[in-house]
Amino acid sequence: PGLRGLIYVQRGPRWRLALEADVERMELSALVWISPRHLRGSTGELTGTVRVAFGAQQAPELDCALRIDEPGGLVQTKVFEWLAPYLPTAEEIRRLAARSELIGYRRASLELHGLRDDRLKGLFRIDIPSYNLIVNLNLEIKVDDETAVQRWLSLPEALNY
C-alpha cells in the first residue's frame, strides 16, 4: 500500500520534468496535510494514477484518476465547502458544508484530465448513503491568463544547466 512512481528529469535548454505515480490502497488520512480543515478525520483507501509533465518547450499536462472503492470511509463535511459555490441549487450540499462532522460515504472518485495552458477538466463523484446523496460534478477549471498554469508549474532556471 502507498505511493510509488517515477520522476523523469531532463536538464538543459529543453528541460523537462515528469512524474508518474501509482497509488495503491493509500489511506486518505495521509493527505490531511493538504487541507487539515477539510480532510481531518477522513478515511478510505485511495487507488489510482497521477501523471504530471511540464518543461521548457512543453505545455503542462496532468492526468489523474483516483478512486476510493467500497466500503468507502468517512469524510469531513467541510470538504463540501469546495463544492457549494459551484452548485447554487444544491441546498443539501450547502447544509453539509456548514457542519463540522464526519459522515460515511460508500465510494468516491476524482478524475482530472487535459490540463492545457488555461483549463483543466474533471469529474468528482461521491456516494453518501446516510443522506441518500450521490454527487456527480463535472468540472472545468479555467484561468483568465493563458500562461498562468505554465507559470505555476515552471521550475527555476536552475534546471537549465
Side-chain angles (χ1 to χ4, degrees):
L3 177 69
R4 68 170 176 259
L6 299 170
I7 296 176
Y8 302 95
V9 178
Q10 178 179 334
R11 302 181 321 166
R14 296 178 54 156
W15 67 267
R16 180 175 188 273
L17 180 67
L19 165 72
E20 295 177 5
D22 292 319
V23 181
E24 183 180 328
R25 297 183 5 250
M26 185 169 87
E27 186 56 44
L28 187 57
S29 61
L31 301 177
V32 169
W33 60 271
I34 294 172
S35 180
R37 171 182 165 86
H38 296 98
L39 298 174
R40 184 170 285 121
S42 296
T43 63
E45 290 187 345
L46 196 60
T47 299
T49 60
V50 178
R51 182 179 173 279
V52 179
F54 53 95
Q57 298 179 351
Q58 170 186 352
E61 298 174 16
L62 170 67
D63 285 299
C64 171
L66 298 171
R67 69 182 190 284
I68 298 174
D69 296 322
E70 289 190 43
L74 297 172
V75 67
Q76 180 60 245
T77 54
K78 289 292 181 190
V79 79
F80 293 101
E81 287 179 334
W82 290 334
L83 302 178
Y86 306 104
L87 299 170
T89 61
E91 191 59 37
E92 189 68 28
I93 296 292
R94 280 196 294 288
R95 280 198 296 271
L96 278 173
R99 297 178 180 196
S100 184
E101 63 187 61
L102 292 169
I103 57 171
Y105 65 95
R106 186 175 298 145
R107 63 181 137 302
S109 65
L110 175 65
E111 296 178 21
L112 299 171
H113 300 288
L115 176 62
R116 293 297 172 253
D117 289 334
D118 69 341
R119 70 186 60 212
L120 175 66
K121 292 185 179 187
L123 177 63
F124 172 73
R125 296 179 175 157
I126 190 165
D127 180 357
I128 303 172
S130 61
Y131 284 82
N132 196 25
L133 182 63
I134 298 173
V135 175
N136 289 302
L137 180 61
N138 284 304
L139 307 166
E140 183 173 45
I141 301 166
K142 292 178 168 183
V143 293
D144 293 335
D145 180 351
E146 291 184 4
T147 63
V149 174
Q150 178 70 38
R151 287 193 330 264
W152 181 65
L153 291 174
S154 289
L155 290 177
E157 279 298 310
L159 282 177
N160 191 11
Y161 34 162

